[in-house]
Amino acid sequence: MRDKGKTLSGRRLHEITKIESFNKPGTSLRAICRSDNGLLFVANSIGEIFTFDTQRVEITGTRRIIEKPDLLVQRIMYIDGLLWISTIEFGAIVYDPNTGHSRQYTYQVPPTQTSTSHHDSYQTIALPGGRFFSATWNGYTVFNPEGTDPVNFTTEIYNNTTSHILRNMESRMISAYYDPAGMLWVGTRGGGVYASDLRLQFYTRYHQEAHNEICSMAADADGFLWWTGFHSGMMRSREPFSPNARMSFEPIPNQAGKTALSVARDGEDNLWFGGRDGMLTCYRAATRSYISYPVVFGGDNTWRGEIWSIYTEDS
């Protein structure tokens, strides 16, 4: 439907025109939103997205993003060049109108790095730093940008309500709003509204499939993150740290032994690692090379103790 009259500043609002061009047999319109340049996006019940020019009063594009005969779209949102479609049963779908690329994110067993907390997604909203938040029937999912394709994300699932702190929280989340002050508001089915101050509470967890006993951490001059692990030895991030990207780490073989306990950065940006065999391993930033030194007490080089802490002076 379209208003034939004028806007609120003195224009008529009571005359409505039905736009017949959206009509398709056996379909219905499910959701509508506006883009930055004034175009409208309209989703129907068979997975089609229409682009509608309100000035020309015509459909300027049609794209079928998912082949489903009865797609129950809850909400759609356009922001930063992406259209997010929240659906019942089929999760969240992100569509790039510029390239025509789209990708579906939904619940999977076992979970993967692109799974959501439930296949019913009720609303997706934007968060700072290029992240997105999806309220689902079983907790919520945070989308983190991944790679160069705008529709590619990795996900973090938050639906653990078994702890003493969270066990009374309602996990059936059906709406969300992020306000300009930095507060995230989540509406639930039967549990009221939850508010969270993301400026104080939002965090990202990085972990391995096993061996998560991390003893110490440091960053080098190039922005790479290093950690020492009781079971994994020395490890370094594959890319410099970015708050908007998912981190992955790789082991540094044959350095500091299988168990690394400590790391410290000195005034020349070298990194020093301590292990279980009485040796200090230095990563020299200038040459990107390693050298090991035995810790010698009073001329005795037989000590093979554990080095749990290292302190360096700038001088």
Side-chain angles (χ1 to χ4, degrees):
M1 308 292 281
R2 179 175 182 267
D3 167 35
K4 285 180 59 179
K6 301 181 178 181
T7 63
L8 293 177
S9 57
R11 295 187 177 184
R12 299 187 304 274
L13 296 175
H14 62 279
E15 295 185 19
I16 303 296
T17 298
K18 184 177 181 180
I19 300 174
E20 300 288 349
S21 53
F22 288 109
N23 290 347
K24 284 191 174 184
T27 70
S28 61
L29 302 182
R30 293 290 172 85
I32 186 170
C33 71
R34 184 179 184 272
S35 71
D36 296 336
N37 57 6
L39 296 176
L40 296 182
F41 290 103
V42 182
N44 71 5
S45 56
I46 60 171
E48 289 180 322
I49 298 293
F50 301 100
T51 305
F52 185 80
D53 190 322
T54 56
Q55 298 300 317
R56 295 157 56 184
V57 196
E58 66 179 18
I59 295 174
T60 59
T62 303
R63 170 81 176 185
R64 190 159 191 179
I65 57 167
I66 187 171
E67 296 284 341
K68 299 297 178 184
D70 188 18
L71 184 66
L72 183 54
V73 176
Q74 288 295 108
R75 294 178 177 90
I76 61 176
M77 174 193 70
Y78 180 88
I79 189 169
D80 296 335
L82 296 177
L83 184 70
W84 287 83
I85 303 101
S86 299
T87 76
I88 300 300
E89 190 178 354
F90 302 108
I93 303 167
V94 58
Y95 167 57
D96 183 349
N98 294 319
T99 64
H101 294 172
S102 62
R103 186 169 180 181
Q104 179 185 8
Y105 296 86
T106 190
Y107 179 74
Q108 300 178 61
V109 178
T112 69
Q113 291 186 349
T114 58
S115 301
T116 61
S117 52
H118 197 272
H119 49 66
D120 291 347
S121 175
Y122 284 84
Q123 185 172 8
T124 304
I125 63 172
L127 296 177
R131 290 183 169 101
F132 292 88
F133 174 102
S134 180
T136 79
W137 195 247
N138 185 27
Y140 63 91
T141 303
V142 174
F143 293 83
N144 302 298
E146 178 74 13
T148 58
D149 192 332
V151 302
N152 285 344
F153 292 84
T154 55
T155 58
E156 297 283 347
I157 294 173
Y158 298 86
N159 60 3
N160 182 8
T161 57
T162 59
S163 71
H164 175 72
I165 296 175
L166 300 177
R167 65 186 178 186
N168 292 323
M169 289 185 65
E170 174 57 68
S171 62
R172 297 173 296 179
M173 300 179 177
I174 57 177
S175 60
Y177 172 68
Y178 179 75
D179 71 24
M183 294 291 293
L184 173 67
W185 301 82
V186 180
T188 70
R189 174 69 179 269
V193 175
Y194 295 115
S196 177
D197 190 339
L198 298 190
R199 296 167 300 179
L200 303 176
Q201 300 177 16
F202 197 74
Y203 66 92
T204 300
R205 183 173 69 122
Y206 303 104
H207 65 95
Q208 307 172 87
E209 295 300 324
H211 307 322
N212 282 302
E213 189 170 346
I214 309 303
C215 300
S216 60
M217 295 173 288
D220 64 23
D222 298 318
F224 289 86
L225 296 183
W226 298 69
W227 73 34
T228 62
F230 197 86
H231 299 285
S232 55
M234 294 164 52
M235 300 192 72
R236 188 185 72 167
S237 62
R238 289 187 170 89
E239 302 290 340
F241 175 74
S242 169
N244 297 330
R246 190 181 185 93
M247 300 291 291
S248 61
F249 293 81
E250 59 186 356
I252 306 299
N254 303 319
Q255 304 294 337
K258 183 178 179 180
T259 296
L261 303 174
S262 54
V263 58
R265 178 173 162 180
D266 66 20
E268 296 180 350
D269 294 325
N270 303 311
L271 297 177
W272 294 82
F273 299 87
R276 303 182 70 181
D277 57 357
M279 299 288 289
L280 282 172
T281 299
C282 178
Y283 170 72
R284 293 182 170 180
T287 60
R288 288 176 168 77
S289 61
Y290 300 89
I291 186 169
S292 295
Y293 302 91
V295 176
V296 178
F297 291 105
D300 181 7
N301 63 356
T302 62
W303 183 76
R304 294 294 183 268
E306 299 177 349
I307 303 174
W308 282 91
S309 181
I310 302 172
Y311 172 75
T312 65
E313 293 183 351
D314 291 344
S315 58

